[in-house]
Amino acid sequence: MSLAAEMFVSQIAAAEPWPENATLYQPLKDDQILLSDCASSLAVQAYLRMCNLPINVSYRANAEYMSPSGKVPFIHVGNQVVSELGPIVQFTKAKGHSLSDGLDDVQRAEMKAYMELVNNMLLTAELYIQWCDENTVAEITRLRYSSPYSWPLNHILAFQKQWEVRRKMNAIGWAGKSLAQVYEDVSQCCQALSQRLGTQPYFFNKQPTELDALVFGHLFTILTTQLTSNELSEKIKNYGNLLSFCRRVEQNFFEERDGDSTASSSSRFSKGPSLI
């Protein structure tokens, strides 16, 4: 199909209303999903809820391999499959659903800069801890990542993923970092987010944007995921306004809309997997 034809098909798809059977795919919640994937999946769920777009969540052992980009989560809407938050934001915007239309050009540029900060610091730190910290790799990551598969495929896939992530860390200059340096990067990122949020309910005052969804996904998952150490979550707990922000998003977009208590909400909408 030519590029022009693909654009035409995309435009036709964008004009279609959001279906009730739209589905988000992510790895198995209880036994398989890792910190970084859980954070990314929760960010997309939060974003779609902020847009008032219904989404069904499907847990698949092979979600990573079903995704067109090889990354999770991805959504299946009509005949379209879109993966990762950025492209999903653009896809919903084409359908007339946007959280950032009210921002001016300066604010929009600032929002994108902070989203880059979260991806470059928090997401990278999550990947580093999962695949480069030997204690976490041995006690959590390999066991969870390979849990749906039998020997020898489980070992092959875990080794392949670890090699892929470590190659990325080499490319971006993180391979030589110590765990303490990674925690310090997370702390600096949280400090920047805390200063930007200030006393506002959301990062751009009274209405959430995709930045709020992204930050919530990562912070909330880190806070509620059990790792070999609690040092990562402690970095976030130093900032009271970030904790209040996470609680606000949880209440406004998860608990209130489903009538759930905190406990049932966390089990249904994944506060983060209990990893050990």
Side-chain angles (χ1 to χ4, degrees):
M1 184 182 293
S2 68
L3 179 60
E6 288 181 358
M7 291 178 63
F8 176 75
V9 170
S10 297
Q11 289 172 354
I12 295 297
E16 297 175 352
W18 188 270
E20 289 294 325
N21 65 347
T23 303
L24 178 146
Y25 291 87
Q26 66 178 63
L28 302 178
K29 182 173 69 171
D30 294 329
D31 304 316
Q32 181 191 24
I33 197 167
L34 298 177
L35 174 66
S36 59
D37 290 340
C38 188
S40 297
S41 296
L42 186 59
V44 171
Q45 288 186 55
Y47 171 76
L48 294 173
R49 283 170 171 264
M50 290 171 179
C51 290
N52 288 311
L53 295 173
I55 193 76
N56 302 300
V57 180
S58 179
Y59 303 98
R60 300 290 183 89
N62 62 339
E64 181 180 356
Y65 303 101
M66 294 169 63
S67 170
S69 68
K71 297 181 180 180
V72 290
F74 68 93
I75 60 172
H76 183 198
V77 181
N79 63 351
Q80 300 290 303
V81 178
V82 189
S83 61
E84 303 178 79
L85 179 61
I88 289 171
V89 168
Q90 294 304 312
F91 179 74
T92 60
K93 188 173 183 179
K95 285 184 171 291
H97 303 278
S98 175
L99 297 178
S100 54
D101 279 350
L103 303 183
D104 59 33
D105 290 343
V106 173
Q107 290 174 320
R108 195 170 288 111
E110 186 180 9
M111 179 191 71
K112 291 179 179 178
Y114 276 97
M115 292 182 74
E116 283 295 310
L117 175 68
V118 172
N119 286 324
N120 290 339
M121 290 296 182
L122 293 185
L123 177 58
T124 305
E126 291 161 4
L127 289 169
Y128 178 99
I129 291 167
Q130 286 171 186
W131 293 106
C132 299
D133 174 56
E134 292 300 339
N135 288 337
T136 305
V137 171
E139 295 183 31
I140 297 174
T141 308
R142 284 200 190 109
L143 296 175
R144 288 187 65 86
Y145 186 80
S146 62
S147 63
Y149 309 103
S150 58
W151 186 90
L153 185 59
N154 56 344
H155 292 288
I156 294 171
L157 292 177
F159 176 81
Q160 183 181 39
K161 186 67 175 182
Q162 185 175 28
W163 179 83
E164 175 189 318
V165 172
R166 290 190 173 187
R167 184 177 65 170
K168 176 182 178 179
M169 295 298 154
N170 269 316
I172 63 175
W174 277 55
K177 288 192 176 187
S178 66
L179 195 55
Q181 289 173 316
V182 171
Y183 288 142
E184 180 58 28
D185 286 342
V186 170
S187 182
Q188 290 180 7
C189 178
C190 289
Q191 182 179 17
L193 292 172
S194 176
Q195 289 175 347
R196 180 62 185 85
L197 180 63
T199 59
Q200 302 175 119
Y202 301 107
F203 283 93
F204 289 91
N205 205 1
K206 295 182 179 180
Q207 298 299 324
T209 66
E210 48 264 41
L211 172 62
D212 296 276
L214 179 65
V215 173
F216 171 75
H218 285 278
L219 296 188
F220 194 82
T221 303
I222 290 172
L223 286 167
T224 55
T225 297
Q226 187 177 3
L227 296 170
T228 57
S229 157
N230 63 358
E231 194 161 352
L232 185 62
S233 61
E234 288 299 320
K235 298 301 181 184
I236 301 171
K237 291 178 182 178
N238 289 328
Y239 301 95
N241 62 340
L242 294 182
L243 296 177
S244 298
F245 164 80
C246 288
R247 184 62 182 146
R248 184 177 303 114
V249 174
E250 182 191 26
Q251 288 179 323
N252 291 345
F253 297 100
F254 289 90
E255 290 180 7
E256 288 185 3
R257 298 191 179 189
D258 298 286
D260 290 338
S261 66
T262 301
S264 61
S265 173
S266 64
S267 64
R268 287 184 59 192
F269 297 109
S270 186
K271 280 188 176 182
S274 178
L275 299 183
I276 57 175

PDB file of all heavy atoms in Angstrom, residues 229-251:
ATOM      1  N   SER A 229      14.451  -3.708  46.964  1.00  0.00           N
ATOM      2  CA  SER A 229      14.726  -2.599  47.874  1.00  0.00           C
ATOM      3  C   SER A 229      13.629  -1.565  47.688  1.00  0.00           C
ATOM      4  O   SER A 229      13.034  -1.459  46.612  1.00  0.00           O
ATOM      5  CB  SER A 229      16.098  -1.991  47.549  1.00  0.00           C
ATOM      6  OG  SER A 229      16.205  -0.673  48.000  1.00  0.00           O
ATOM      7  N   ASN A 230      13.353  -0.792  48.738  1.00  0.00           N
ATOM      8  CA  ASN A 230      12.335   0.258  48.621  1.00  0.00           C
ATOM      9  C   ASN A 230      12.954   1.618  48.322  1.00  0.00           C
ATOM     10  O   ASN A 230      12.282   2.649  48.407  1.00  0.00           O
ATOM     11  CB  ASN A 230      11.487   0.333  49.894  1.00  0.00           C
ATOM     12  CG  ASN A 230      12.306   0.718  51.118  1.00  0.00           C
ATOM     13  OD1 ASN A 230      13.523   0.897  51.039  1.00  0.00           O
ATOM     14  ND2 ASN A 230      11.647   0.831  52.262  1.00  0.00           N
ATOM     15  N   GLU A 231      14.221   1.638  47.953  1.00  0.00           N
ATOM     16  CA  GLU A 231      14.924   2.908  47.762  1.00  0.00           C
ATOM     17  C   GLU A 231      14.343   3.716  46.607  1.00  0.00           C
ATOM     18  O   GLU A 231      14.297   4.952  46.659  1.00  0.00           O
ATOM     19  CB  GLU A 231      16.418   2.667  47.535  1.00  0.00           C
ATOM     20  CG  GLU A 231      17.245   3.933  47.677  1.00  0.00           C
ATOM     21  CD  GLU A 231      18.720   3.662  47.919  1.00  0.00           C
ATOM     22  OE1 GLU A 231      19.082   2.487  48.136  1.00  0.00           O
ATOM     23  OE2 GLU A 231      19.497   4.631  47.890  1.00  0.00           O
ATOM     24  N   LEU A 232      13.888   3.044  45.563  1.00  0.00           N
ATOM     25  CA  LEU A 232      13.318   3.762  44.422  1.00  0.00           C
ATOM     26  C   LEU A 232      12.047   4.502  44.825  1.00  0.00           C
ATOM     27  O   LEU A 232      11.884   5.691  44.529  1.00  0.00           O
ATOM     28  CB  LEU A 232      13.028   2.779  43.281  1.00  0.00           C
ATOM     29  CG  LEU A 232      12.526   3.395  41.970  1.00  0.00           C
ATOM     30  CD1 LEU A 232      13.560   4.341  41.376  1.00  0.00           C
ATOM     31  CD2 LEU A 232      12.174   2.289  40.967  1.00  0.00           C
ATOM     32  N   SER A 233      11.152   3.822  45.512  1.00  0.00           N
ATOM     33  CA  SER A 233       9.908   4.472  45.938  1.00  0.00           C
ATOM     34  C   SER A 233      10.167   5.559  46.973  1.00  0.00           C
ATOM     35  O   SER A 233       9.442   6.564  47.032  1.00  0.00           O
ATOM     36  CB  SER A 233       8.925   3.441  46.492  1.00  0.00           C
ATOM     37  OG  SER A 233       9.459   2.788  47.624  1.00  0.00           O
ATOM     38  N   GLU A 234      11.209   5.393  47.789  1.00  0.00           N
ATOM     39  CA  GLU A 234      11.517   6.401  48.800  1.00  0.00           C
ATOM     40  C   GLU A 234      11.900   7.735  48.160  1.00  0.00           C
ATOM     41  O   GLU A 234      11.675   8.797  48.753  1.00  0.00           O
ATOM     42  CB  GLU A 234      12.651   5.921  49.707  1.00  0.00           C
ATOM     43  CG  GLU A 234      12.249   4.809  50.667  1.00  0.00           C
ATOM     44  CD  GLU A 234      11.149   5.230  51.629  1.00  0.00           C
ATOM     45  OE1 GLU A 234      11.192   6.386  52.104  1.00  0.00           O
ATOM     46  OE2 GLU A 234      10.252   4.413  51.896  1.00  0.00           O
ATOM     47  N   LYS A 235      12.477   7.698  46.973  1.00  0.00           N
ATOM     48  CA  LYS A 235      12.834   8.945  46.291  1.00  0.00           C
ATOM     49  C   LYS A 235      11.587   9.769  45.983  1.00  0.00           C
ATOM     50  O   LYS A 235      11.600  10.995  46.056  1.00  0.00           O
ATOM     51  CB  LYS A 235      13.595   8.645  44.994  1.00  0.00           C
ATOM     52  CG  LYS A 235      14.917   7.915  45.195  1.00  0.00           C
ATOM     53  CD  LYS A 235      15.871   8.696  46.076  1.00  0.00           C
ATOM     54  CE  LYS A 235      17.193   7.971  46.263  1.00  0.00           C
ATOM     55  NZ  LYS A 235      18.092   8.682  47.208  1.00  0.00           N
ATOM     56  N   ILE A 236      10.504   9.090  45.634  1.00  0.00           N
ATOM     57  CA  ILE A 236       9.250   9.789  45.332  1.00  0.00           C
ATOM     58  C   ILE A 236       8.592  10.291  46.608  1.00  0.00           C
ATOM     59  O   ILE A 236       8.019  11.387  46.643  1.00  0.00           O
ATOM     60  CB  ILE A 236       8.293   8.851  44.570  1.00  0.00           C
ATOM     61  CG1 ILE A 236       8.943   8.382  43.268  1.00  0.00           C
ATOM     62  CG2 ILE A 236       6.962   9.545  44.281  1.00  0.00           C
ATOM     63  CD1 ILE A 236       8.173   7.291  42.555  1.00  0.00           C
ATOM     64  N   LYS A 237       8.693   9.512  47.670  1.00  0.00           N
ATOM     65  CA  LYS A 237       8.023   9.860  48.920  1.00  0.00           C
ATOM     66  C   LYS A 237       8.594  11.117  49.567  1.00  0.00           C
ATOM     67  O   LYS A 237       7.996  11.662  50.493  1.00  0.00           O
ATOM     68  CB  LYS A 237       8.098   8.683  49.895  1.00  0.00           C
ATOM     69  CG  LYS A 237       7.257   7.491  49.461  1.00  0.00           C
ATOM     70  CD  LYS A 237       7.408   6.326  50.429  1.00  0.00           C
ATOM     71  CE  LYS A 237       6.612   5.122  49.958  1.00  0.00           C
ATOM     72  NZ  LYS A 237       6.783   3.951  50.858  1.00  0.00           N
ATOM     73  N   ASN A 238       9.733  11.580  49.074  1.00  0.00           N
ATOM     74  CA  ASN A 238      10.298  12.832  49.585  1.00  0.00           C
ATOM     75  C   ASN A 238       9.513  14.055  49.126  1.00  0.00           C
ATOM     76  O   ASN A 238       9.748  15.158  49.616  1.00  0.00           O
ATOM     77  CB  ASN A 238      11.756  12.977  49.130  1.00  0.00           C
ATOM     78  CG  ASN A 238      12.687  12.003  49.830  1.00  0.00           C
ATOM     79  OD1 ASN A 238      12.464  11.642  50.986  1.00  0.00           O
ATOM     80  ND2 ASN A 238      13.726  11.568  49.139  1.00  0.00           N
ATOM     81  N   TYR A 239       8.587  13.857  48.180  1.00  0.00           N
ATOM     82  CA  TYR A 239       7.863  14.987  47.589  1.00  0.00           C
ATOM     83  C   TYR A 239       6.363  14.806  47.830  1.00  0.00           C
ATOM     84  O   TYR A 239       5.686  14.064  47.121  1.00  0.00           O
ATOM     85  CB  TYR A 239       8.185  15.091  46.097  1.00  0.00           C
ATOM     86  CG  TYR A 239       9.662  15.280  45.850  1.00  0.00           C
ATOM     87  CD1 TYR A 239      10.484  14.184  45.581  1.00  0.00           C
ATOM     88  CD2 TYR A 239      10.243  16.538  45.937  1.00  0.00           C
ATOM     89  CE1 TYR A 239      11.849  14.349  45.386  1.00  0.00           C
ATOM     90  CE2 TYR A 239      11.606  16.711  45.744  1.00  0.00           C
ATOM     91  CZ  TYR A 239      12.402  15.613  45.471  1.00  0.00           C
ATOM     92  OH  TYR A 239      13.750  15.791  45.295  1.00  0.00           O
ATOM     93  N   GLY A 240       5.879  15.509  48.843  1.00  0.00           N
ATOM     94  CA  GLY A 240       4.486  15.352  49.251  1.00  0.00           C
ATOM     95  C   GLY A 240       3.493  15.715  48.172  1.00  0.00           C
ATOM     96  O   GLY A 240       2.432  15.087  48.057  1.00  0.00           O
ATOM     97  N   ASN A 241       3.811  16.717  47.356  1.00  0.00           N
ATOM     98  CA  ASN A 241       2.842  17.109  46.328  1.00  0.00           C
ATOM     99  C   ASN A 241       2.734  16.048  45.226  1.00  0.00           C
ATOM    100  O   ASN A 241       1.672  15.890  44.615  1.00  0.00           O
ATOM    101  CB  ASN A 241       3.169  18.483  45.743  1.00  0.00           C
ATOM    102  CG  ASN A 241       4.512  18.550  45.039  1.00  0.00           C
ATOM    103  OD1 ASN A 241       5.399  17.720  45.259  1.00  0.00           O
ATOM    104  ND2 ASN A 241       4.677  19.560  44.192  1.00  0.00           N
ATOM    105  N   LEU A 242       3.805  15.289  44.990  1.00  0.00           N
ATOM    106  CA  LEU A 242       3.717  14.203  44.012  1.00  0.00           C
ATOM    107  C   LEU A 242       2.864  13.058  44.555  1.00  0.00           C
ATOM    108  O   LEU A 242       2.103  12.431  43.804  1.00  0.00           O
ATOM    109  CB  LEU A 242       5.112  13.696  43.646  1.00  0.00           C
ATOM    110  CG  LEU A 242       6.022  14.682  42.906  1.00  0.00           C
ATOM    111  CD1 LEU A 242       7.356  14.021  42.565  1.00  0.00           C
ATOM    112  CD2 LEU A 242       5.359  15.218  41.635  1.00  0.00           C
ATOM    113  N   LEU A 243       2.973  12.789  45.847  1.00  0.00           N
ATOM    114  CA  LEU A 243       2.128  11.762  46.457  1.00  0.00           C
ATOM    115  C   LEU A 243       0.659  12.174  46.394  1.00  0.00           C
ATOM    116  O   LEU A 243      -0.214  11.358  46.063  1.00  0.00           O
ATOM    117  CB  LEU A 243       2.544  11.530  47.909  1.00  0.00           C
ATOM    118  CG  LEU A 243       3.946  10.965  48.147  1.00  0.00           C
ATOM    119  CD1 LEU A 243       4.227  10.874  49.644  1.00  0.00           C
ATOM    120  CD2 LEU A 243       4.103   9.602  47.497  1.00  0.00           C
ATOM    121  N   SER A 244       0.387  13.436  46.696  1.00  0.00           N
ATOM    122  CA  SER A 244      -0.992  13.934  46.629  1.00  0.00           C
ATOM    123  C   SER A 244      -1.517  13.882  45.199  1.00  0.00           C
ATOM    124  O   SER A 244      -2.692  13.568  44.964  1.00  0.00           O
ATOM    125  CB  SER A 244      -1.061  15.371  47.157  1.00  0.00           C
ATOM    126  OG  SER A 244      -0.684  15.430  48.515  1.00  0.00           O
ATOM    127  N   PHE A 245      -0.655  14.183  44.249  1.00  0.00           N
ATOM    128  CA  PHE A 245      -1.030  14.125  42.838  1.00  0.00           C
ATOM    129  C   PHE A 245      -1.443  12.708  42.446  1.00  0.00           C
ATOM    130  O   PHE A 245      -2.479  12.508  41.791  1.00  0.00           O
ATOM    131  CB  PHE A 245       0.149  14.596  41.985  1.00  0.00           C
ATOM    132  CG  PHE A 245       0.040  14.243  40.532  1.00  0.00           C
ATOM    133  CD1 PHE A 245      -0.752  14.992  39.678  1.00  0.00           C
ATOM    134  CD2 PHE A 245       0.732  13.153  40.016  1.00  0.00           C
ATOM    135  CE1 PHE A 245      -0.858  14.661  38.332  1.00  0.00           C
ATOM    136  CE2 PHE A 245       0.641  12.818  38.681  1.00  0.00           C
ATOM    137  CZ  PHE A 245      -0.160  13.571  37.832  1.00  0.00           C
ATOM    138  N   CYS A 246      -0.654  11.720  42.841  1.00  0.00           N
ATOM    139  CA  CYS A 246      -0.982  10.329  42.512  1.00  0.00           C
ATOM    140  C   CYS A 246      -2.323   9.926  43.115  1.00  0.00           C
ATOM    141  O   CYS A 246      -3.144   9.274  42.464  1.00  0.00           O
ATOM    142  CB  CYS A 246       0.118   9.397  43.006  1.00  0.00           C
ATOM    143  SG  CYS A 246       1.652   9.494  42.061  1.00  0.00           S
ATOM    144  N   ARG A 247      -2.526  10.312  44.354  1.00  0.00           N
ATOM    145  CA  ARG A 247      -3.786   9.985  45.016  1.00  0.00           C
ATOM    146  C   ARG A 247      -4.958  10.676  44.324  1.00  0.00           C
ATOM    147  O   ARG A 247      -6.035  10.093  44.162  1.00  0.00           O
ATOM    148  CB  ARG A 247      -3.707  10.404  46.489  1.00  0.00           C
ATOM    149  CG  ARG A 247      -4.930  10.027  47.306  1.00  0.00           C
ATOM    150  CD  ARG A 247      -5.125   8.529  47.345  1.00  0.00           C
ATOM    151  NE  ARG A 247      -6.316   8.164  48.093  1.00  0.00           N
ATOM    152  CZ  ARG A 247      -7.086   7.128  47.810  1.00  0.00           C
ATOM    153  NH1 ARG A 247      -6.804   6.351  46.777  1.00  0.00           N
ATOM    154  NH2 ARG A 247      -8.139   6.853  48.547  1.00  0.00           N
ATOM    155  N   ARG A 248      -4.750  11.910  43.884  1.00  0.00           N
ATOM    156  CA  ARG A 248      -5.809  12.675  43.208  1.00  0.00           C
ATOM    157  C   ARG A 248      -6.221  11.995  41.902  1.00  0.00           C
ATOM    158  O   ARG A 248      -7.415  11.848  41.613  1.00  0.00           O
ATOM    159  CB  ARG A 248      -5.310  14.096  42.943  1.00  0.00           C
ATOM    160  CG  ARG A 248      -6.340  15.024  42.321  1.00  0.00           C
ATOM    161  CD  ARG A 248      -5.759  16.424  42.166  1.00  0.00           C
ATOM    162  NE  ARG A 248      -5.304  16.940  43.450  1.00  0.00           N
ATOM    163  CZ  ARG A 248      -4.026  17.193  43.751  1.00  0.00           C
ATOM    164  NH1 ARG A 248      -3.071  16.991  42.852  1.00  0.00           N
ATOM    165  NH2 ARG A 248      -3.699  17.650  44.935  1.00  0.00           N
ATOM    166  N   VAL A 249      -5.242  11.596  41.106  1.00  0.00           N
ATOM    167  CA  VAL A 249      -5.560  10.936  39.835  1.00  0.00           C
ATOM    168  C   VAL A 249      -6.254   9.602  40.084  1.00  0.00           C
ATOM    169  O   VAL A 249      -7.234   9.259  39.413  1.00  0.00           O
ATOM    170  CB  VAL A 249      -4.282  10.736  38.995  1.00  0.00           C
ATOM    171  CG1 VAL A 249      -4.586   9.915  37.744  1.00  0.00           C
ATOM    172  CG2 VAL A 249      -3.678  12.081  38.605  1.00  0.00           C
ATOM    173  N   GLU A 250      -5.765   8.860  41.066  1.00  0.00           N
ATOM    174  CA  GLU A 250      -6.400   7.578  41.391  1.00  0.00           C
ATOM    175  C   GLU A 250      -7.862   7.779  41.773  1.00  0.00           C
ATOM    176  O   GLU A 250      -8.750   7.064  41.292  1.00  0.00           O
ATOM    177  CB  GLU A 250      -5.647   6.894  42.530  1.00  0.00           C
ATOM    178  CG  GLU A 250      -6.237   5.531  42.890  1.00  0.00           C
ATOM    179  CD  GLU A 250      -5.673   4.976  44.181  1.00  0.00           C
ATOM    180  OE1 GLU A 250      -5.233   5.775  45.037  1.00  0.00           O
ATOM    181  OE2 GLU A 250      -5.686   3.747  44.344  1.00  0.00           O
ATOM    182  N   GLN A 251      -8.121   8.759  42.618  1.00  0.00           N
ATOM    183  CA  GLN A 251      -9.492   8.999  43.077  1.00  0.00           C
ATOM    184  C   GLN A 251     -10.386   9.508  41.951  1.00  0.00           C
ATOM    185  O   GLN A 251     -11.520   9.052  41.790  1.00  0.00           O
ATOM    186  CB  GLN A 251      -9.484  10.009  44.227  1.00  0.00           C
ATOM    187  CG  GLN A 251      -8.935   9.459  45.529  1.00  0.00           C
ATOM    188  CD  GLN A 251      -8.925  10.498  46.630  1.00  0.00           C
ATOM    189  OE1 GLN A 251      -8.654  11.679  46.393  1.00  0.00           O
ATOM    190  NE2 GLN A 251      -9.203  10.081  47.850  1.00  0.00           N
TER     191      GLN A 251
END
